[in-house]
Amino acid sequence: THGGGVSYFNEKDFFTASVQDGFPATHISVMLKAKDGKIVFGTTNNGLIIYDGKRFVNFTEKQGLVSNSIRSLMEDAEGNLWIGTADSGLSRFDGDSFDNIGATEGLMSTAIKCSVQDYDGGIWFGTRGAGLVKYNGDKFRNITRSEGLSERRVISIAQDRDKNLWLGTFGGYVT
């Protein structure tokens, strides 16, 4: 949303929760339904919000999140949340604490637009300007135009049943 908090629809009526109603943010940039049924919200300036069906819990830089400006969310096979930020890299959240990952840890771009875990357990990140990044659990590998990537701004990723990665790019290409 752009300033309106969050809305939900129960197949009959729309309901909106705003700051005035106790929702802790006005600008939602991304949402995810976690495997445990919780709804996770990434915001443009208020961090991470997790809704357990009864209450909203807000996590910000004060609780260890690398940045309050979130652009992507992904849950891995182990239940960790991978949180991509506008310009500060990644946070991995295990439900208790944040592990922050940036250039010092080998991440080639700190502007993360999207992510997906592949069938083999590797985690792929689309970046704003540094192409595609793969994390194998130990180190990062950057894939750029020199390896055949059509555009360096990757904004969406999906993997098909044949294990091919599909990349949506800012330049209008699908790779």
Side-chain angles (χ1 to χ4, degrees), residues 78-120:
E78 291 79 40
N80 297 304
L81 288 176
W82 290 81
I83 303 150
T85 67
D87 290 307
S88 300
L90 295 161
S91 285
R92 181 176 47 210
F93 184 56
D94 64 7
D96 294 315
S97 62
F98 293 94
D99 180 24
N100 296 323
I101 302 163
T104 305
E105 293 76 25
L107 188 61
M108 286 57 158
S109 173
T110 57
I112 308 299
K113 299 295 288 176
C114 56
S115 55
V116 68
Q117 186 171 34
D118 67 26
Y119 292 118
D120 298 322

Side-chain angles (χ1 to χ4, degrees), residues 4 14 22 25 32 35 40 46 48 54 59-60 73 85 99 102 104 120-121 123 129 138-139 149 162 165:
F14 278 97
L32 168 79
K35 293 175 179 112
V40 183
N46 290 94
L48 183 74
K54 296 183 183 195
F59 298 93
T60 66
L73 294 170
T85 67
D99 180 24
T104 305
D120 298 322
I123 299 178
D138 182 44
K139 64 181 180 177
L149 186 62
D162 296 323
L165 283 180

Side-chain angles (χ1 to χ4, degrees), residues 138-154:
D138 182 44
K139 64 181 180 177
F140 293 93
R141 174 179 169 229
N142 205 44
I143 299 165
T144 64
R145 285 184 172 174
S146 64
E147 286 95 1
L149 186 62
S150 63
E151 164 62 48
R152 60 188 176 90
R153 296 168 290 179
V154 178

